[in-house]
Amino acid sequence: MRFLLAAILVPLVLVAGFLAYALSPREIEAIAPPARVSFSPVAIERGQRLALLGNCNVCHTAEGGRPYSGGYGVETPFGTIYGTNITPEPETGIGAWSLEAFDRSMREGIDREGRHLYPAFPYDHFTKISDGDVAALYAFLMTREPVREAARANDLPFPLRFRPLLAGWKLLAFREGRFEPDAAADAEVDYGRYLVEGLGHCGACHTPRNLIQAERRDAALRGGVSAGWTAPAIAGEAAAAVPWTQASLETYLSDGFDPDHGAGAGPMQPVGVNLARTPSEDARAVAAYLMTVLQPRPALPPPLADPAADPATIALFEGACLFCHDGAASGGARGVTLDRSTAVQAEDATNLVNFLFHGRQPAAGSAGSHMPGFAAALTNDQAEALVAYVRARYSGLPPFPDTAEAVRAARRASAP
């Protein structure tokens, strides 16, 4: 009988305890939007820099929308989660949030009303940010132009719309805590680690995830996926024909392009755009830290000088690709030479196919490398043959294992 009672009571107690925890966050009292004069110009300027480093404008601005007014859709395996309005508008934004409420959202993933936030908002990284930087980011956001824009409803199945369930995810995957400096480390390297692990939340894209979509701590920065692109490993062995150096990493991060590796595209492209607008010491520090965790890949066999391909594929390559991407043929490549492209050297065809279909266009108002997309000009079979030919001609690696699926996925993404 005692065993039966225990078998009944223990689960009930555990469930009750979980519900108490899940429903425990209190609502923090609303405030009137603070006046701009209540924030120092130094804090606002620092906050602007932090907002760029954290790419806040990317996830909190819809295409064609007002800055920070929300509406951008973050695709997850469970559905779409939309970025919220973080302008100081009191009813639809965060104008009624105190610094305490803002700090709690960053540290614990709980909004002012006491609701758990989805980890598409990377509070598992933001929890590491210093108190001063949280306050500076708050000062910047609360001095933006208020925009009245209600949040879009997330496109999630019913169980996941019940936010208290997120408390279970936090129990399994979230660890609150500030960044811990390493007194023995070089100051620049440690600042880079602070940016990578904290505000920059690099692991959100560059770390593989487990079944509950939490980052795998045992494979931090070893590569992941984001918005249909492969986010390559930036720790451990990196797929690169030319080993990364601190100088080339810094160039890539701040310019979005490095001639020995290629151009940032997809979700990485706005990261470079934002880093180019912050002091150079930020990209330099990130590069310095990454050089302590990157390892060169062993030397590869030479690529095939004349890979087998049908004449139509060779003609397609020579007409569409050769002039811009082969230095010898063009008298100086306008794009990265393909034997150095990290997309060609990658473990799968995803990024190379994405470049082929979508190209790369500079952000509005900024300069940068440009490549047209060829999705409308190529059939799936042509794209698959072209990617296979480029892989064989410009790398000493085996054929991509999944080219056909990568082409189909890119085709779906390019559909209107």
Side-chain angles (χ1 to χ4, degrees), residues 234-251:
I234 53 175
E237 191 177 293
V242 178
W244 286 98
T245 65
Q246 182 171 339
S248 61
L249 270 172
E250 185 178 348
T251 298

Side-chain angles (χ1 to χ4, degrees), residues 137-179:
L137 188 56
Y138 177 76
F140 171 73
L141 292 174
M142 296 301 274
T143 53
R144 299 307 90 205
E145 179 186 358
V147 179
R148 187 176 180 83
E149 187 72 46
R152 291 188 61 177
N154 295 318
D155 182 14
L156 296 170
F158 166 70
L160 299 182
R161 295 200 299 268
F162 185 60
R163 286 180 182 257
L165 289 178
L166 292 169
W169 185 90
K170 289 180 177 179
L171 285 172
L172 294 172
F174 177 54
R175 300 294 181 269
E176 183 183 355
R178 308 294 186 272
F179 175 81

Side-chain angles (χ1 to χ4, degrees), residues 260-356:
D260 285 334
H261 300 91
M268 187 63 195
Q269 188 169 346
V271 175
V273 171
N274 283 342
L275 267 173
R277 296 167 59 192
T278 74
S280 59
E281 65 193 62
D282 294 328
R284 185 163 58 248
V286 170
Y289 169 66
L290 291 180
M291 286 306 298
T292 69
V293 295
L294 274 171
Q295 300 169 2
R297 188 163 69 176
L300 300 173
L304 299 174
D306 186 22
D310 65 273
T313 299
I314 296 174
L316 191 61
F317 171 79
E318 292 179 347
C321 312
L322 191 62
F323 179 77
C324 290
H325 287 289
D326 188 292
S330 65
R334 299 180 180 186
V336 65
T337 52
L338 292 174
D339 60 343
R340 298 187 175 192
S341 167
T342 54
V344 175
Q345 301 287 327
E347 293 183 1
D348 62 62
T350 300
N351 288 357
L352 185 55
V353 174
N354 280 336
F355 270 113
L356 181 63

Side-chain angles (χ1 to χ4, degrees), residues 49-348:
R49 176 178 174 179
L50 296 169
L52 290 169
L53 290 168
N55 296 292
C56 304
N57 58 332
V58 177
C59 290
H60 290 279
T61 307
E63 184 177 356
R66 305 276 289 279
Y68 303 106
S69 64
Y72 176 83
V74 178
E75 301 293 337
T76 78
F78 309 114
T80 304
I81 298 171
Y82 291 95
T84 54
N85 183 345
I86 55 173
T87 72
E89 202 281 322
E91 294 185 12
T92 63
I94 61 170
W97 289 38
S98 63
L99 175 57
E100 177 191 4
F102 182 77
D103 183 272
R104 184 174 71 170
S105 72
M106 298 287 285
R107 307 281 195 209
E108 304 174 38
I110 300 171
D111 70 7
R112 187 190 68 79
E113 290 82 2
R115 298 175 301 181
H116 293 282
L117 298 174
Y118 291 99
F121 176 63
Y123 49 83
D124 52 339
H125 290 274
F126 294 164
T127 187
K128 297 177 180 289
I129 303 173
S130 70
D131 294 345
D133 280 352
V134 170
L137 188 56
Y138 177 76
F140 171 73
L141 292 174
M142 296 301 274
T143 53
R144 299 307 90 205
E145 179 186 358
V147 179
R148 187 176 180 83
E149 187 72 46
R152 291 188 61 177
N154 295 318
D155 182 14
L156 296 170
F158 166 70
L160 299 182
R161 295 200 299 268
F162 185 60
R163 286 180 182 257
L165 289 178
L166 292 169
W169 185 90
K170 289 180 177 179
L171 285 172
L172 294 172
F174 177 54
R175 300 294 181 269
E176 183 183 355
R178 308 294 186 272
F179 175 81
E180 297 182 4
D182 183 354
D186 174 83
E188 183 177 65
V189 170
D190 217 35
Y191 176 53
R193 183 169 68 90
Y194 171 70
L195 295 179
V196 168
E197 293 182 355
L199 196 60
H201 60 285
C202 302
C205 293
H206 289 275
T207 295
R209 294 180 179 269
N210 59 23
L211 289 176
I212 62 170
Q213 290 302 294
E215 292 177 30
R216 287 179 46 198
R217 295 187 181 90
D218 63 333
L221 304 180
R222 266 28 180 214
V225 294
S226 179
W229 290 72
T230 296
I234 53 175
E237 191 177 293
V242 178
W244 286 98
T245 65
Q246 182 171 339
S248 61
L249 270 172
E250 185 178 348
T251 298
Y252 177 82
L253 288 169
S254 56
D255 291 349
F257 176 81
D258 174 69
D260 285 334
H261 300 91
M268 187 63 195
Q269 188 169 346
V271 175
V273 171
N274 283 342
L275 267 173
R277 296 167 59 192
T278 74
S280 59
E281 65 193 62
D282 294 328
R284 185 163 58 248
V286 170
Y289 169 66
L290 291 180
M291 286 306 298
T292 69
V293 295
L294 274 171
Q295 300 169 2
R297 188 163 69 176
L300 300 173
L304 299 174
D306 186 22
D310 65 273
T313 299
I314 296 174
L316 191 61
F317 171 79
E318 292 179 347
C321 312
L322 191 62
F323 179 77
C324 290
H325 287 289
D326 188 292
S330 65
R334 299 180 180 186
V336 65
T337 52
L338 292 174
D339 60 343
R340 298 187 175 192
S341 167
T342 54
V344 175
Q345 301 287 327
E347 293 183 1
D348 62 62

